[in-house]
Amino acid sequence: MDAYSALLPAPVKAEASTGYCLLSADAAVEADGSPLTGAMVRSFLAELLPLADNEIPVSTTRSVTVAVDDGAGEPGTYTLRVEPRRVEIRAGGSEGVAQALTTLRQLLPDTIWRRAATPPPEGWQVPCGTVEDRPAHGWRGAMLDVARHFFPKRTVLRYVDLLAAHRFNRLHLHLSDDQGWRVESRLHPELHRVGSWRPSTRLGPDGPDDGTPHGGYYTLDDLAEIAAHARTRGITLVPEIDVPGHTSALRAALPGLGRPGEEQAVLDTVWAGGTSIAPLGRTEAVLRDVLGEIIDATGAPYVHLGGDECAMDWWPEDPEVAAAMAEAGCTTPQQMHGHFLRSLGEFLAGRGVRMVVWDEGYVTGGVLPDTIVMAWRGDEAAGRAATTHDIVRSPLFPTYFNFDQSELAGERRSEGGPVTLDDVSAFAPAPSHWSPQQRERILGGQFQIWTEWVPDERHLDYLAFPRACALAEVLWTGRVADPDEFRTRLARQLRRLDAMGAEYRPLDGPHPWQTGGTGVWRRTSPGRIAETRAWLDSISHQA
Ligand code: ACM
């Protein structure tokens, strides 16, 4: 297979020609565009340096030029032309340049995916040819739940690199939930001091306490670093503060924002626990502070406000909330849920930030005209939202990668499934019966990894890959056109992942050390994905 046929995701058009370009760190750079894209190219070239100074090839290569023009086309589009003495990148913005550099890297030997690699004696050879490419979907995302289990900054930075290698361009960080609050607030430090840790963790609703404290949070500087690092890889950070449900950690830190008289504590790993915050002006004021701090640190153009699985029956029974509901003209808690989210969305809009919600927010009217809806409860919920709003496809099946990857008994215990590699390969972001208007509303899609059952980075790698390779193909090209041909390119991509040190699940089943063994991680029940899907359909009209 020539290098131009081994790209993953597949480009729109790629043609190999004859000869090669000897590329090295000392190639001249002609940058026409933003300082960022020039720096991205220089940093790419610096990574071509060999391990030891004395291994730098004496340059027959000094006359090679890498020319970059970032003003050519829509974000993410690019043309890459490799000639014997010139590499030319014409791309749409920094996202397009990032894509061109990913392609250039994939055209090199797999060892280039290591942090440092010794070039072959003849130097790094890029085969000549041309790639003309553009994404089928503008939103190609990955959601990581850092609340149920905390993943340190170094893991997130590395995850960004793994995502960029697959042309993903959104990192959605689920920064708060019942089980943890994961970002510093200088205005309300109780949030990270109290909300960021729990004294114990239970594996599943009926698991025993393990008695081991778990916690961690990102400082605002950490979050700024993650956003900046992601930007240099063509990825936009999408922070999520999930309200008004999933807020036990927030309420543990600021009990005055919860239901009066109710005990407030950061939960162990039982999901969808706790109740909700009180949708009051003083709650909103705190959230505006926190969201403002996050926006200032990251420059995020999108902020996710959650809105899912909110237990709000108590609102009308509480005199203070009931008064707030009356003032807002809301007669049901669902209306108040919508009012609360819209109000925060208006604050975001005032900061030039676009609001994102899970589909419950759509059901309660908690959306502004430009709000992006992520429907996790199936195609029908997404189809309803797509009649009026932009959507990002994120259905539990097949984009929840925290579910088992097969029915093999050895898969490690999780929430069920399976969601197989083939299921992901077959995913159609636009169901065939959707109208052209609904299809036009699809910005793209993303995979999610909820981490109740994912304690560490090794397990994260195992769940993400190779399923993310298949979703990358779907979102970049529109679909996996030929599953057999895709598998050939996937085999090559797995070698690139080996070089990056990613501990993916092998195609024929987990390594022994990736299985559940006979202890607490043993898989105890068969997958029930059909039942799960039917249940989701049945609740997808509810808030
Ligand atoms: C969700 O899975 N509750 C978005």
Side-chain angles (χ1 to χ4, degrees):
M1 195 186 346
D2 76 67
Y4 285 82
S5 309
L7 300 170
L8 189 151
V12 171
K13 194 170 158 207
E15 252 170 53
S17 52
T18 51
Y20 57 84
C21 175
L22 263 185
L23 198 59
S24 73
D26 59 1
V29 175
E30 264 173 31
D32 182 6
S34 71
L36 172 61
T37 53
M40 285 163 71
V41 171
R42 285 187 195 95
S43 148
F44 170 84
L45 289 171
E47 289 172 30
L48 299 177
L49 280 171
L51 284 171
D53 284 351
N54 62 7
E55 286 168 7
I56 295 178
V58 182
S59 201
T60 50
T61 64
R62 286 219 167 90
S63 52
V64 170
T65 298
V66 180
V68 57
D69 169 3
D70 65 19
E74 294 294 306
T77 62
Y78 69 93
T79 301
L80 172 71
R81 196 161 285 124
V82 181
E83 295 166 359
R85 299 222 165 262
R86 188 175 172 85
V87 173
E88 208 171 270
I89 295 169
R90 291 173 50 75
S94 54
E95 255 194 67
V97 174
Q99 302 315 328
L101 293 175
T102 293
T103 296
L104 197 51
R105 200 184 283 272
Q106 288 196 4
L107 291 171
L108 284 158
D110 298 334
T111 189
I112 198 69
W113 293 90
R114 296 177 184 278
R115 288 276 167 98
T118 309
E122 65 282 11
W124 294 116
Q125 293 186 355
V126 192
C128 290
T130 303
V131 179
E132 282 170 33
D133 208 3
R134 64 177 173 276
H137 294 287
W139 187 297
R140 303 177 304 281
M143 189 225 71
L144 178 60
D145 168 11
V146 292
R148 272 50 177 271
H149 279 98
F150 179 67
F151 290 81
K153 180 187 75 177
R154 60 181 178 276
T155 295
V156 178
L157 295 173
R158 172 181 171 276
Y159 202 54
V160 164
D161 295 346
L162 289 165
L163 295 172
H166 295 82
R167 308 199 186 289
F168 286 99
N169 69 346
R170 301 283 185 267
L171 172 66
H172 168 180
L173 282 184
H174 184 75
L175 288 167
S176 71
D177 212 301
D178 293 307
Q179 294 79 5
W181 178 276
R182 304 292 177 215
V183 59
E184 175 192 25
S185 171
R186 293 178 192 156
L187 296 171
H188 302 279
E190 310 88 317
L191 283 168
H192 62 264
R193 279 197 206 127
V194 176
S196 70
W197 72 280
R198 55 181 184 254
S200 183
T201 295
R202 284 190 289 156
L203 269 187
D206 45 13
D209 289 356
D210 70 358
T212 308
H214 177 86
Y217 66 92
Y218 309 110
T219 64
L220 288 165
D221 290 341
D222 291 338
L223 214 55
E225 178 185 351
I226 291 168
H229 178 71
R231 209 171 292 126
T232 66
R233 301 288 191 276
I235 295 177
T236 300
L237 177 70
V238 182
E240 178 184 356
I241 295 295
D242 193 355
V243 291
H246 287 275
T247 40
S248 300
L250 186 162
R251 285 180 281 109
L254 301 169
L257 304 186
R259 185 179 190 174
E262 200 168 60
E263 195 196 326
Q264 312 289 358
V266 182
L267 297 190
D268 56 25
T269 62
V270 181
W271 57 90
T275 66
S276 52
I277 41 178
L280 300 169
R282 56 192 159 83
T283 308
E284 269 187 46
V286 169
L287 291 172
R288 283 197 299 269
D289 285 346
V290 170
L291 293 169
E293 289 181 287
I294 292 173
I295 294 164
D296 287 344
T298 62
Y302 310 96
V303 168
H304 201 307
L305 294 175
D308 58 321
E309 299 179 305
C310 179
M312 51 194 156
D313 291 350
W314 66 273
W315 289 353
E317 295 159 20
D318 177 81
E320 203 183 352
V321 179
M325 286 175 64
E327 196 183 323
C330 296
T331 54
T332 65
Q334 287 75 21
Q335 286 172 7
M336 191 62 182
H337 179 271
H339 170 82
F340 184 73
L341 287 174
R342 275 196 312 279
S343 175
L344 288 171
E346 275 156 13
F347 165 75
L348 294 181
R351 297 290 314 261
V353 172
R354 206 166 161 190
M355 158 192 190
V356 189
V357 291
W358 298 112
D359 54 279
E360 289 93 331
Y362 181 77
V363 172
T364 63
V367 284
L368 301 174
D370 72 343
T371 297
I372 297 167
V373 180
M374 289 183 180
W376 65 281
R377 299 181 297 177
D379 288 357
E380 217 187 298
R384 283 195 298 274
T387 57
T388 53
H389 280 74
D390 286 348
I391 63 163
V392 168
R393 299 286 279 124
S394 55
L396 180 145
F397 181 85
T399 72
Y400 275 26
F401 288 4
N402 43 302
F403 280 66
D404 291 342
Q405 309 198 49
S406 82
E407 291 288 27
L408 290 176
E411 301 288 354
R412 196 174 283 202
R413 187 174 177 180
S414 81
E415 282 153 72
V419 172
T420 67
L421 179 66
D422 288 344
D423 293 331
V424 180
S425 298
F427 177 53
S432 55
H433 60 281
W434 282 21
S435 69
Q437 290 79 9
Q438 283 168 306
R439 286 162 183 268
E440 260 172 38
R441 288 294 201 164
I442 303 173
L443 300 182
Q446 62 177 37
F447 72 91
Q448 348 302 315
I449 297 192
W450 300 100
T451 59
E452 288 94 338
W453 304 83
V454 189
D456 58 35
E457 183 177 57
R458 301 189 72 180
H459 198 49
L460 177 65
D461 277 10
Y462 162 79
L463 291 171
F465 302 102
R467 289 182 292 191
C469 310
L471 190 68
E473 179 84 4
V474 168
L475 294 175
W476 184 267
T477 70
R479 68 196 174 107
V480 172
D482 174 347
D484 291 336
E485 186 275 340
F486 171 70
R487 288 256 173 181
T488 313
R489 281 183 294 116
L490 179 60
R492 178 73 189 275
Q493 185 72 1
L494 295 184
R495 296 214 302 272
R496 297 179 185 124
L497 284 172
D498 284 331
M500 292 182 90
E503 296 189 87
Y504 57 85
R505 176 192 184 276
L507 296 175
D508 56 358
H511 288 296
W513 60 91
Q514 292 174 324
T515 66
T518 58
V520 292
W521 288 103
R522 185 170 62 89
R523 189 164 175 261
T524 50
S525 59
R528 295 204 174 84
I529 197 68
E531 278 172 44
T532 306
R533 294 178 70 184
W535 167 71
L536 282 175
D537 280 341
S538 75
I539 60 165
S540 75
H541 280 275
Q542 299 165 18

